[in-house]
Amino acid sequence: MRTDLPTVLAAGAWLKNAACLLEAGVPAWSALHGDLGEPGACRALDTSVQALLHRSGRPVAAVAHDLHPDFYSTRLAVSLATELGVPAIGVQHHHAHIAAVMAEHDVHEAVVGLALDGVGLGTDGAAWGGELLWVDPGAWRRLGSLWPLALPGGDIAAREPWRMAAAALQALGRGHEIGERFWGAVGANAARLVQRLLATGFNCPPTSSTGRWFDAAAAALGLSVRQTHEAEAAIALERQARSWIAAHGWPSRTDVVDTTRLDCLDLRPLLLRLLDHGAAPGVDVAAEAAWFHVALAEALAAWAGAAARESGARTVCLGGGCFCNAVLTEQVVAGLQRQGLRVLKPQAHTCGDAALALGQAWVAAHQLHAGGQPLSIEVNESLSCA
């Protein structure tokens, strides 16, 4: 453990917020506050950061936060840093996910990071969520991302998985099927509206989010049209996969995704099968869900393994809320280990946003230890998946 690192307070994420004080390389956590869209969670964060400041045995050298300027945690961090006369240091969401794993396992060498979640603001202002990173204590770069899907209607698409299945149809060149396919589930007007949005690109920002690919898969198999809580569609898909695997064992390995490009992992072949099979009478939804998990895990493991070989890294770190999915995680870990790689994932804390403050603090502490200069970053902000 690096005991020579400066003390940093981190304000954490928007969802499942918790703050963290990193002192002499050892984290001290606040309670879990919940989502900062709730006023009570914001007040609890205010109280917690003051408590962490008072328990610190050393002066706080910086306050770390997410890059999103509108998060309450970001505004609090900037205000607190001004009050203390120290820097406020923004840390990219997925960088922080991988850094949290590195901090927990006391990693000092360069790693490849696979950060998979619902969303986090990228350095280009876009919605990231399926990221292949190279990270060491003094630098990081974005090596690649998942093929971007459109978010028809913007944020509402994260609450209505059928919109993501529609986006997958559009990405497959089959946007003309959207109206007929979904009018029975959501109504003709809604289906036609989304079809028009995707055809024109109006209010359809792109995202590399792994969570939205899971939404598309669940909707393609008829498991979820709308969801009332976070990851409901993905959980339903995993439940189906787990039940089939328990009865039949793991599906046969399949290589349907091209993993030769680091800059973009194109998952459209997975959705092509699910969209076709999901519309077929008598389809075994559980079997298709199991196949999707195994095929996705194989592709991710091959992708990260190729990045490790190219960069010379011997370790792959897994972070982000999608690794709460035990079926996916088990297969990704096994695929990476078959390639002779060391695989690290969170053990003492969650893989999701509740642990993000540790990564924020770790990154900021290393930045200050390097003389206060921003960490060297080479971010491929114009990944082309064409």
Side-chain angles (χ1 to χ4, degrees):
M1 188 66 66
R2 287 285 301 271
T3 59
D4 59 336
L5 291 175
T7 299
V8 173
L9 177 66
W14 173 262
L15 298 176
K16 308 176 191 68
N17 176 270
C20 179
L21 178 75
L22 189 66
E23 186 172 18
V26 178
W29 289 95
S30 74
L32 183 65
H33 305 124
D35 300 348
L36 295 182
E38 298 294 329
C42 296
R43 290 192 293 270
L45 176 59
D46 290 339
T47 301
S48 289
V49 297
Q50 291 300 324
L52 288 171
L53 282 174
H54 285 120
R55 71 171 289 172
S56 175
R58 303 179 183 180
V60 169
V63 185
H65 58 85
D66 190 85
L67 291 185
H68 201 299
D70 296 329
F71 285 179
Y72 181 80
S73 52
T74 298
R75 298 198 301 270
L76 175 63
V78 172
S79 174
L80 185 61
T82 300
E83 178 184 328
L84 296 173
V86 299
I89 298 176
V91 181
Q92 198 279 323
H93 187 95
H94 301 95
H95 181 199
H97 269 311
I98 301 306
V101 181
M102 296 174 74
E104 178 182 345
H105 292 277
D106 198 25
V107 176
H108 303 290
E109 74 271 15
V111 305
V112 165
L114 198 53
L116 311 179
D117 64 5
V119 67
L121 184 68
T123 56
D124 58 355
W128 293 6
E131 309 306 316
L132 185 67
L133 308 178
W134 176 90
V135 182
D136 80 1
W140 74 286
R141 61 179 180 267
R142 187 191 193 199
L143 301 175
S145 73
L146 299 187
W147 182 284
L149 287 176
L151 290 166
D155 289 344
I156 193 174
R159 302 190 296 274
E160 298 188 0
W162 75 272
R163 291 177 182 250
M164 298 314 304
L169 279 172
Q170 180 71 27
L172 288 162
R174 293 166 54 177
H176 59 280
E177 300 177 20
I178 293 170
E180 181 178 355
R181 183 173 185 118
F182 293 107
W183 72 266
V186 303
N189 289 339
R192 289 172 185 152
L193 172 62
V194 166
Q195 184 172 351
R196 288 197 298 272
L197 289 176
L198 287 164
T200 61
F202 178 74
N203 196 19
C204 289
T207 180
S208 58
S209 167
T210 311
R212 302 293 78 79
W213 279 97
F214 269 95
D215 288 350
L221 292 175
L223 292 171
S224 179
V225 175
R226 297 180 176 87
Q227 51 188 349
T228 57
H229 58 267
E230 184 188 9
E232 181 179 350
I235 291 169
L237 190 69
E238 182 192 6
R239 187 180 299 118
Q240 291 286 329
R242 190 185 297 114
S243 69
W244 194 93
I245 292 165
H248 303 282
W250 292 98
S252 300
R253 294 186 62 196
T254 177
D255 298 312
V256 298
V257 175
D258 180 5
T259 59
T260 59
R261 289 179 58 181
L262 288 187
D263 64 328
C264 184
L265 187 66
D266 184 357
L267 300 182
R268 288 180 299 171
L270 304 186
L271 267 294
L272 176 63
R273 167 168 164 158
L274 296 191
L275 286 162
D276 285 344
H277 288 205
V283 63
D284 187 340
V285 171
E288 294 300 312
W291 176 87
F292 173 79
H293 277 78
V294 170
L296 174 60
E298 288 173 1
L300 291 168
W303 191 39
R309 289 189 295 275
E310 182 169 301
S311 66
R314 298 170 296 173
T315 300
V316 177
C317 292
L318 309 180
C322 289
F323 285 111
C324 292
N325 183 319
V327 176
L328 178 73
T329 302
E330 181 178 342
Q331 284 296 290
V332 170
V333 170
L336 290 166
Q337 289 176 339
R338 283 194 296 267
Q339 299 173 67
L341 294 164
R342 181 173 69 145
V343 185
L344 298 178
K345 57 182 181 176
Q347 300 292 335
H349 55 76
T350 175
C351 56
D353 284 1
L356 207 70
L358 174 58
Q360 293 172 347
W362 187 88
V363 169
H366 280 87
Q367 177 173 321
L368 293 173
H369 185 74
Q373 297 300 313
L375 294 185
S376 172
I377 175 172
E378 299 172 29
V379 179
N380 189 345
E381 296 176 343
S382 57
L383 298 177
S384 173
C385 291

Coordinates of all heavy atoms in Angstrom, one line a residue, residues 99-184:
A99 N -9.7 2.3 -11.6 CA -8.8 2.7 -10.6 C -9.2 2.2 -9.2 O -8.4 1.9 -8.4 CB -8.7 4.2 -10.6
A100 N -10.5 2.0 -9.0 CA -11.0 1.5 -7.7 C -10.5 0.1 -7.5 O -10.2 -0.3 -6.4 CB -12.5 1.6 -7.7
V101 N -10.5 -0.7 -8.6 CA -10.0 -2.1 -8.5 C -8.5 -2.1 -8.3 O -8.0 -2.9 -7.4 CB -10.3 -2.9 -9.8 CG1 -9.8 -4.3 -9.7 CG2 -11.8 -2.8 -10.1
M102 N -7.8 -1.2 -9.0 CA -6.3 -1.1 -8.8 C -6.0 -0.7 -7.3 O -5.1 -1.2 -6.7 CB -5.7 -0.1 -9.8 CG -5.9 -0.6 -11.2 SD -5.4 0.7 -12.4 CE -3.6 0.5 -12.3
A103 N -6.8 0.2 -6.8 CA -6.5 0.7 -5.4 C -6.8 -0.5 -4.4 O -6.0 -0.7 -3.5 CB -7.5 1.9 -5.1
E104 N -7.9 -1.2 -4.6 CA -8.2 -2.3 -3.7 C -7.1 -3.3 -3.7 O -6.7 -3.9 -2.6 CB -9.5 -2.9 -4.0 CG -9.9 -4.1 -3.1 CD -11.2 -4.8 -3.5 OE1 -12.0 -4.2 -4.2 OE2 -11.4 -5.9 -2.9
H105 N -6.6 -3.7 -4.9 CA -5.6 -4.7 -5.0 C -4.1 -4.2 -5.0 O -3.2 -5.0 -5.2 CB -5.8 -5.5 -6.3 CG -7.1 -6.3 -6.2 ND1 -7.2 -7.5 -5.7 CD2 -8.4 -6.0 -6.7 CE1 -8.5 -8.0 -5.8 NE2 -9.2 -7.1 -6.4
D106 N -4.0 -2.9 -4.7 CA -2.6 -2.3 -4.6 C -1.8 -2.6 -5.8 O -0.6 -3.1 -5.7 CB -1.9 -2.9 -3.3 CG -0.8 -2.0 -2.9 OD1 -0.8 -0.8 -3.2 OD2 0.1 -2.5 -2.2
V107 N -2.4 -2.3 -7.0 CA -1.7 -2.5 -8.2 C -0.9 -1.3 -8.6 O -1.4 -0.1 -8.6 CB -2.7 -2.8 -9.3 CG1 -2.0 -3.0 -10.7 CG2 -3.5 -4.1 -9.0
H108 N 0.3 -1.5 -9.0 CA 1.2 -0.4 -9.4 C 1.6 -0.4 -10.9 O 2.2 0.6 -11.4 CB 2.5 -0.3 -8.5 CG 2.1 -0.3 -7.1 ND1 1.6 0.9 -6.5 CD2 2.3 -1.2 -6.1 CE1 1.4 0.6 -5.2 NE2 1.8 -0.6 -4.9
E109 N 1.4 -1.5 -11.5 CA 1.8 -1.6 -12.9 C 0.6 -1.3 -13.8 O -0.5 -1.2 -13.4 CB 2.4 -3.0 -13.3 CG 1.3 -4.1 -13.4 CD 1.0 -4.8 -12.0 OE1 1.4 -4.2 -11.0 OE2 0.4 -5.8 -12.0
A110 N 0.9 -1.2 -15.1 CA -0.2 -0.9 -16.1 C -1.1 -2.1 -16.3 O -0.6 -3.2 -16.2 CB 0.5 -0.5 -17.5
V111 N -2.4 -1.8 -16.4 CA -3.4 -2.9 -16.6 C -4.2 -2.5 -17.8 O -4.3 -1.4 -18.2 CB -4.3 -3.0 -15.4 CG1 -3.4 -3.3 -14.1 CG2 -5.2 -1.9 -15.2
V112 N -4.9 -3.5 -18.3 CA -6.0 -3.3 -19.2 C -7.3 -3.3 -18.4 O -7.5 -4.2 -17.5 CB -6.1 -4.4 -20.3 CG1 -7.5 -4.4 -21.0 CG2 -5.0 -4.2 -21.3
G113 N -8.2 -2.4 -18.6 CA -9.4 -2.3 -17.8 C -10.6 -2.5 -18.7 O -10.7 -1.9 -19.8
L114 N -11.5 -3.3 -18.3 CA -12.8 -3.5 -19.0 C -13.9 -2.9 -18.1 O -14.2 -3.5 -17.0 CB -13.0 -5.0 -19.2 CG -14.0 -5.5 -20.2 CD1 -13.8 -4.8 -21.6 CD2 -14.0 -7.0 -20.3
A115 N -14.4 -1.8 -18.5 CA -15.4 -1.0 -17.6 C -16.7 -1.1 -18.3 O -16.9 -0.5 -19.4 CB -14.9 0.4 -17.4
L116 N -17.7 -1.8 -17.7 CA -19.0 -2.1 -18.4 C -20.1 -1.6 -17.4 O -20.2 -2.2 -16.3 CB -19.2 -3.5 -18.7 CG -18.0 -4.3 -19.4 CD1 -18.3 -5.7 -19.6 CD2 -17.7 -3.6 -20.8
D117 N -20.9 -0.7 -17.8 CA -22.0 -0.2 -17.0 C -23.1 0.4 -17.8 O -23.1 0.3 -19.0 CB -21.5 0.7 -15.9 CG -20.9 2.0 -16.4 OD1 -20.9 2.2 -17.7 OD2 -20.3 2.8 -15.6
G118 N -24.0 1.1 -17.1 CA -25.1 1.8 -17.8 C -24.7 3.1 -18.5 O -25.0 3.3 -19.7
V119 N -24.0 4.0 -17.8 CA -23.6 5.2 -18.4 C -22.6 6.0 -17.5 O -22.7 5.8 -16.3 CB -24.8 6.1 -18.7 CG1 -25.5 6.6 -17.4 CG2 -24.5 7.3 -19.6
G120 N -21.7 6.7 -18.1 CA -20.8 7.6 -17.4 C -20.4 8.6 -18.5 O -20.2 8.3 -19.6
L121 N -20.2 9.9 -18.1 CA -19.9 10.9 -19.0 C -18.4 10.7 -19.5 O -17.5 10.6 -18.7 CB -20.0 12.3 -18.4 CG -19.7 13.5 -19.3 CD1 -20.8 13.6 -20.3 CD2 -19.6 14.8 -18.5
G122 N -18.3 10.7 -20.8 CA -16.9 10.5 -21.4 C -16.2 11.9 -21.5 O -16.8 12.9 -21.3
T123 N -15.0 11.9 -21.8 CA -14.2 13.1 -21.9 C -14.6 13.9 -23.2 O -14.3 15.1 -23.3 CB -12.7 12.8 -22.0 OG1 -12.5 11.9 -23.1 CG2 -12.2 12.2 -20.7
D124 N -15.3 13.2 -24.1 CA -15.8 13.9 -25.3 C -17.3 14.4 -25.1 O -17.9 14.9 -26.0 CB -15.8 13.0 -26.5 CG -16.5 11.7 -26.3 OD1 -17.1 11.5 -25.1 OD2 -16.6 10.9 -27.2
G125 N -17.8 14.3 -23.9 CA -19.2 14.7 -23.6 C -20.2 13.7 -24.0 O -21.4 13.9 -23.8
A126 N -19.8 12.5 -24.5 CA -20.8 11.5 -24.9 C -21.0 10.5 -23.7 O -20.3 10.5 -22.7 CB -20.2 10.7 -26.1
A127 N -22.1 9.7 -23.9 CA -22.4 8.7 -22.9 C -21.7 7.4 -23.2 O -21.9 6.7 -24.1 CB -23.9 8.4 -23.0
W128 N -20.6 7.2 -22.3 CA -19.8 6.0 -22.4 C -20.5 4.9 -21.5 O -21.3 5.1 -20.7 CB -18.4 6.2 -21.9 CG -17.6 7.2 -22.8 CD1 -18.1 7.9 -23.9 CD2 -16.2 7.5 -22.7 NE1 -17.0 8.6 -24.4 CE2 -15.9 8.4 -23.7 CE3 -15.2 7.1 -21.8 CZ2 -14.6 8.9 -23.8 CZ3 -14.0 7.6 -21.9 CH2 -13.6 8.5 -22.9
G129 N -20.0 3.6 -21.7 CA -20.5 2.6 -20.8 C -20.0 1.2 -21.2 O -20.3 0.2 -20.5
G130 N -19.3 1.1 -22.3 CA -18.7 -0.2 -22.7 C -17.2 0.1 -23.1 O -16.9 0.2 -24.3
E131 N -16.3 0.2 -22.2 CA -15.0 0.8 -22.4 C -13.8 -0.2 -22.2 O -13.8 -0.9 -21.2 CB -14.8 2.0 -21.5 CG -16.0 3.0 -21.6 CD -16.3 3.5 -23.0 OE1 -15.4 3.7 -23.8 OE2 -17.5 3.5 -23.3
L132 N -12.9 -0.1 -23.1 CA -11.7 -0.9 -23.0 C -10.6 0.2 -22.8 O -10.3 1.0 -23.6 CB -11.4 -1.6 -24.3 CG -10.2 -2.5 -24.3 CD1 -10.3 -3.7 -23.4 CD2 -9.9 -3.1 -25.8
L133 N -9.9 0.1 -21.6 CA -9.0 1.1 -21.2 C -7.6 0.5 -20.9 O -7.5 -0.6 -20.6 CB -9.4 1.8 -19.9 CG -10.9 2.4 -19.9 CD1 -11.2 3.0 -18.5 CD2 -11.0 3.5 -21.0
W134 N -6.6 1.4 -21.0 CA -5.3 1.1 -20.5 C -5.0 2.1 -19.4 O -5.2 3.3 -19.6 CB -4.2 1.2 -21.6 CG -2.8 1.0 -21.2 CD1 -2.1 -0.2 -21.2 CD2 -1.9 2.0 -20.7 NE1 -0.8 0.0 -20.7 CE2 -0.7 1.3 -20.4 CE3 -2.0 3.4 -20.4 CZ2 0.4 2.0 -19.9 CZ3 -0.9 4.0 -19.9 CH2 0.3 3.4 -19.7
V135 N -4.6 1.6 -18.2 CA -4.5 2.4 -17.1 C -3.2 2.1 -16.3 O -2.9 0.9 -16.1 CB -5.7 2.3 -16.1 CG1 -5.5 3.2 -14.9 CG2 -7.0 2.5 -16.8
D136 N -2.4 3.1 -15.9 CA -1.4 2.9 -14.9 C -1.5 4.0 -14.0 O -2.3 4.9 -14.2 CB 0.0 2.6 -15.5 CG 0.7 3.9 -16.0 OD1 0.1 5.0 -15.8 OD2 1.8 3.8 -16.5
P137 N -0.7 4.0 -12.9 CA -0.9 5.1 -11.9 C -0.7 6.5 -12.4 O -1.3 7.5 -11.8 CB 0.1 4.8 -10.8 CG 0.2 3.3 -10.9 CD 0.1 3.0 -12.3
G138 N 0.0 6.7 -13.5 CA 0.3 8.0 -14.0 C -0.3 8.4 -15.4 O -0.1 9.5 -15.9
A139 N -1.1 7.4 -16.0 CA -1.6 7.7 -17.3 C -2.7 6.8 -17.6 O -2.9 5.8 -16.9 CB -0.5 7.5 -18.4
W140 N -3.5 7.1 -18.6 CA -4.6 6.2 -19.0 C -5.0 6.6 -20.5 O -4.7 7.7 -20.9 CB -5.8 6.3 -18.1 CG -6.7 7.5 -18.2 CD1 -6.4 8.7 -17.7 CD2 -8.0 7.6 -18.8 NE1 -7.4 9.6 -18.0 CE2 -8.4 8.9 -18.6 CE3 -8.8 6.7 -19.4 CZ2 -9.7 9.3 -19.1 CZ3 -10.0 7.1 -19.9 CH2 -10.5 8.4 -19.7
R141 N -5.5 5.7 -21.1 CA -6.1 5.9 -22.5 C -7.2 5.0 -22.8 O -7.3 3.9 -22.3 CB -5.0 5.9 -23.5 CG -4.3 4.5 -23.7 CD -3.3 4.7 -24.9 NE -2.6 3.4 -25.1 CZ -1.5 3.1 -24.6 NH1 -0.9 3.9 -23.7 NH2 -0.9 1.9 -24.9
R142 N -8.1 5.5 -23.6 CA -9.3 4.7 -24.1 C -8.8 4.0 -25.3 O -8.5 4.6 -26.3 CB -10.4 5.7 -24.4 CG -11.7 5.0 -24.7 CD -12.7 6.0 -25.2 NE -14.1 5.5 -25.3 CZ -15.0 6.1 -26.1 NH1 -14.7 7.2 -26.8 NH2 -16.3 5.6 -26.1
L143 N -8.8 2.7 -25.2 CA -8.4 1.9 -26.4 C -9.6 1.6 -27.3 O -9.3 1.5 -28.5 CB -7.8 0.5 -25.9 CG -6.6 0.6 -24.9 CD1 -6.3 -0.8 -24.4 CD2 -5.4 1.2 -25.6
G144 N -10.7 1.4 -26.8 CA -11.9 1.1 -27.6 C -13.2 1.2 -26.9 O -13.2 1.4 -25.6
S145 N -14.3 0.9 -27.6 CA -15.6 0.9 -27.0 C -16.5 0.0 -27.7 O -16.1 -0.5 -28.8 CB -16.2 2.3 -27.0 OG -16.6 2.7 -28.3
L146 N -17.6 -0.3 -27.1 CA -18.6 -1.1 -27.8 C -19.2 -0.3 -29.0 O -19.2 1.0 -28.9 CB -19.7 -1.5 -26.9 CG -19.4 -2.4 -25.7 CD1 -20.6 -2.9 -25.0 CD2 -18.5 -3.6 -26.1
W147 N -19.7 -1.0 -30.0 CA -20.4 -0.3 -31.1 C -21.5 0.5 -30.5 O -22.3 0.1 -29.7 CB -21.0 -1.4 -32.0 CG -21.7 -0.8 -33.2 CD1 -22.9 -0.2 -33.2 CD2 -21.2 -0.8 -34.5 NE1 -23.3 0.1 -34.5 CE2 -22.2 -0.2 -35.3 CE3 -20.1 -1.3 -35.2 CZ2 -22.1 0.0 -36.7 CZ3 -19.9 -1.1 -36.5 CH2 -20.9 -0.5 -37.3
P148 N -21.6 1.8 -30.9 CA -22.6 2.7 -30.2 C -24.0 2.4 -30.8 O -24.2 2.2 -32.0 CB -22.1 4.1 -30.6 CG -21.4 3.9 -31.9 CD -20.7 2.5 -31.8
L149 N -24.9 2.4 -29.9 CA -26.4 2.4 -30.2 C -27.0 3.7 -30.0 O -26.5 4.5 -29.1 CB -27.1 1.3 -29.3 CG -26.9 -0.1 -29.6 CD1 -27.6 -1.0 -28.6 CD2 -27.3 -0.5 -31.0
A150 N -28.0 4.1 -30.8 CA -28.7 5.3 -30.6 C -29.6 5.2 -29.4 O -30.1 4.1 -29.1 CB -29.5 5.7 -31.8
L151 N -29.9 6.3 -28.7 CA -30.8 6.4 -27.6 C -32.0 7.1 -28.1 O -32.1 8.4 -28.0 CB -30.2 7.1 -26.4 CG -29.1 6.4 -25.6 CD1 -28.4 7.4 -24.7 CD2 -29.7 5.2 -24.9
P152 N -33.0 6.5 -28.8 CA -34.1 7.2 -29.3 C -35.0 7.8 -28.3 O -35.6 7.2 -27.4 CB -34.9 6.1 -30.1 CG -34.5 4.8 -29.4 CD -33.1 5.0 -29.0
G153 N -35.1 9.2 -28.3 CA -35.8 9.9 -27.3 C -34.9 10.4 -26.2 O -35.4 11.0 -25.2
G154 N -33.6 10.0 -26.2 CA -32.7 10.4 -25.2 C -32.8 9.5 -23.9 O -32.9 8.3 -24.1
D155 N -32.8 10.1 -22.7 CA -32.7 9.4 -21.5 C -33.9 8.4 -21.3 O -33.8 7.4 -20.6 CB -32.7 10.3 -20.3 CG -31.4 11.0 -20.2 OD1 -30.4 10.6 -20.8 OD2 -31.3 12.0 -19.5
I156 N -35.0 8.6 -21.9 CA -36.2 7.7 -21.8 C -35.9 6.3 -22.3 O -36.4 5.4 -21.8 CB -37.4 8.3 -22.5 CG1 -38.7 7.5 -22.0 CG2 -37.3 8.3 -24.0 CD1 -40.0 8.1 -22.6
A157 N -34.9 6.2 -23.2 CA -34.6 4.9 -23.8 C -34.0 4.0 -22.7 O -34.1 2.8 -22.8 CB -33.6 5.1 -24.9
A158 N -33.4 4.6 -21.7 CA -32.8 3.7 -20.6 C -33.9 3.1 -19.7 O -33.7 2.2 -19.0 CB -31.9 4.5 -19.7
R159 N -35.1 3.7 -19.8 CA -36.3 3.2 -19.0 C -37.2 2.3 -19.9 O -38.1 1.7 -19.3 CB -37.1 4.4 -18.4 CG -36.2 5.3 -17.5 CD -37.1 6.3 -16.8 NE -37.7 7.2 -17.7 CZ -37.2 8.4 -18.1 NH1 -35.9 8.7 -17.7 NH2 -37.9 9.2 -18.9
E160 N -37.0 2.3 -21.2 CA -37.9 1.6 -22.1 C -37.0 0.7 -23.0 O -36.6 1.1 -24.1 CB -38.8 2.5 -22.9 CG -39.7 3.4 -22.0 CD -40.7 4.2 -22.8 OE1 -40.7 4.1 -24.1 OE2 -41.5 4.9 -22.2
P161 N -36.7 -0.5 -22.6 CA -35.8 -1.4 -23.4 C -36.2 -1.6 -24.8 O -35.4 -1.9 -25.7 CB -35.7 -2.7 -22.5 CG -36.0 -2.2 -21.1 CD -37.0 -1.1 -21.2
W162 N -37.5 -1.6 -25.1 CA -37.9 -1.8 -26.4 C -37.3 -0.8 -27.4 O -37.1 -1.1 -28.6 CB -39.5 -1.8 -26.6 CG -40.1 -0.4 -26.5 CD1 -40.5 0.3 -25.4 CD2 -40.4 0.4 -27.6 NE1 -41.0 1.5 -25.7 CE2 -40.9 1.6 -27.1 CE3 -40.2 0.3 -29.0 CZ2 -41.4 2.7 -27.8 CZ3 -40.6 1.4 -29.8 CH2 -41.2 2.6 -29.2
R163 N -37.1 0.4 -26.9 CA -36.4 1.4 -27.7 C -35.0 1.0 -28.1 O -34.5 1.3 -29.2 CB -36.4 2.8 -27.0 CG -37.8 3.4 -26.8 CD -37.7 4.7 -26.0 NE -39.0 5.3 -25.8 CZ -39.4 6.4 -26.4 NH1 -38.6 7.1 -27.2 NH2 -40.6 6.9 -26.2
M164 N -34.3 0.3 -27.2 CA -33.0 -0.1 -27.5 C -33.0 -1.3 -28.5 O -32.1 -1.4 -29.4 CB -32.3 -0.5 -26.3 CG -32.1 0.6 -25.3 SD -31.5 2.2 -26.0 CE -30.0 1.7 -26.8
A165 N -34.0 -2.1 -28.4 CA -34.2 -3.2 -29.5 C -34.5 -2.5 -30.8 O -33.9 -3.0 -31.9 CB -35.3 -4.2 -29.1
A166 N -35.3 -1.5 -30.8 CA -35.5 -0.7 -32.0 C -34.2 -0.1 -32.6 O -34.0 -0.1 -33.8 CB -36.6 0.3 -31.8
A167 N -33.4 0.4 -31.7 CA -32.1 1.0 -32.1 C -31.2 -0.1 -32.7 O -30.5 0.2 -33.7 CB -31.4 1.7 -30.9
A168 N -31.3 -1.3 -32.2 CA -30.5 -2.4 -32.7 C -31.0 -2.7 -34.1 O -30.2 -3.0 -35.0 CB -30.6 -3.6 -31.8
L169 N -32.3 -2.8 -34.3 CA -32.8 -3.0 -35.7 C -32.3 -1.9 -36.6 O -31.9 -2.2 -37.8 CB -34.3 -3.0 -35.7 CG -35.0 -4.3 -35.2 CD1 -36.5 -4.0 -35.1 CD2 -34.8 -5.4 -36.2
Q170 N -32.3 -0.7 -36.2 CA -31.8 0.4 -37.1 C -30.3 0.2 -37.4 O -29.9 0.4 -38.5 CB -32.1 1.8 -36.4 CG -31.6 3.0 -37.2 CD -32.5 3.3 -38.4 OE1 -33.6 2.9 -38.4 NE2 -31.9 3.9 -39.4
A171 N -29.6 -0.2 -36.3 CA -28.1 -0.4 -36.5 C -27.8 -1.6 -37.5 O -26.8 -1.6 -38.1 CB -27.5 -0.6 -35.2
L172 N -28.8 -2.5 -37.6 CA -28.7 -3.6 -38.5 C -29.2 -3.4 -39.9 O -29.3 -4.2 -40.7 CB -29.4 -4.8 -37.9 CG -28.7 -5.5 -36.7 CD1 -29.7 -6.4 -35.9 CD2 -27.5 -6.3 -37.1
G173 N -29.6 -2.1 -40.1 CA -30.2 -1.8 -41.4 C -31.6 -2.3 -41.6 O -32.1 -2.4 -42.7
R174 N -32.3 -2.5 -40.5 CA -33.7 -3.0 -40.6 C -34.7 -2.1 -39.8 O -35.6 -2.6 -39.2 CB -33.7 -4.4 -40.0 CG -32.9 -5.4 -40.8 CD -32.7 -6.8 -40.1 NE -33.9 -7.4 -39.6 CZ -33.8 -8.6 -39.0 NH1 -32.7 -9.2 -38.8 NH2 -34.9 -9.1 -38.5
G175 N -34.4 -0.8 -39.9 CA -35.3 0.1 -39.2 C -36.7 0.1 -39.7 O -37.6 0.5 -38.9
H176 N -36.9 -0.3 -40.9 CA -38.3 -0.4 -41.5 C -39.2 -1.4 -40.8 O -40.4 -1.4 -40.9 CB -38.2 -0.7 -43.0 CG -37.6 -2.0 -43.3 ND1 -36.2 -2.2 -43.3 CD2 -38.1 -3.3 -43.5 CE1 -35.9 -3.5 -43.6 NE2 -37.1 -4.1 -43.7
E177 N -38.6 -2.3 -40.0 CA -39.3 -3.3 -39.2 C -39.8 -2.8 -37.9 O -40.6 -3.5 -37.2 CB -38.5 -4.5 -39.0 CG -38.0 -5.2 -40.3 CD -37.0 -6.4 -40.0 OE1 -37.1 -6.9 -38.8 OE2 -36.3 -6.8 -40.8
I178 N -39.4 -1.7 -37.4 CA -39.7 -1.2 -36.1 C -41.1 -1.1 -35.8 O -41.7 -1.6 -34.8 CB -38.9 0.1 -35.8 CG1 -37.4 -0.2 -35.7 CG2 -39.4 0.7 -34.4 CD1 -36.6 1.1 -35.7
G179 N -41.8 -0.3 -36.7 CA -43.3 -0.1 -36.4 C -44.1 -1.4 -36.3 O -44.8 -1.6 -35.3
E180 N -43.9 -2.3 -37.2 CA -44.7 -3.5 -37.2 C -44.3 -4.4 -36.1 O -45.2 -5.1 -35.4 CB -44.4 -4.3 -38.5 CG -45.2 -5.6 -38.6 CD -45.0 -6.3 -40.0 OE1 -44.3 -5.7 -40.8 OE2 -45.5 -7.4 -40.1
R181 N -43.0 -4.4 -35.7 CA -42.6 -5.3 -34.6 C -43.1 -4.9 -33.3 O -43.4 -5.7 -32.4 CB -41.0 -5.4 -34.6 CG -40.5 -6.4 -33.6 CD -39.1 -6.6 -33.7 NE -38.7 -7.7 -32.7 CZ -38.1 -8.8 -33.1 NH1 -37.9 -9.1 -34.3 NH2 -37.8 -9.7 -32.2
F182 N -43.1 -3.6 -33.0 CA -43.4 -3.2 -31.6 C -44.8 -2.5 -31.4 O -45.1 -2.2 -30.3 CB -42.3 -2.2 -31.2 CG -40.9 -2.8 -31.1 CD1 -39.9 -2.6 -32.0 CD2 -40.7 -3.7 -30.0 CE1 -38.7 -3.2 -31.9 CE2 -39.4 -4.3 -29.9 CZ -38.4 -4.0 -30.8
W183 N -45.6 -2.4 -32.5 CA -46.8 -1.7 -32.2 C -47.7 -2.4 -31.3 O -48.5 -1.8 -30.5 CB -47.5 -1.4 -33.5 CG -48.1 -2.6 -34.2 CD1 -47.6 -3.4 -35.2 CD2 -49.4 -3.2 -34.0 NE1 -48.4 -4.4 -35.6 CE2 -49.6 -4.3 -34.8 CE3 -50.5 -2.8 -33.1 CZ2 -50.7 -5.1 -34.8 CZ3 -51.6 -3.6 -33.1 CH2 -51.7 -4.7 -34.0
G184 N -47.7 -3.8 -31.3 CA -48.5 -4.5 -30.4 C -48.1 -4.4 -28.9 O -49.0 -4.4 -28.0

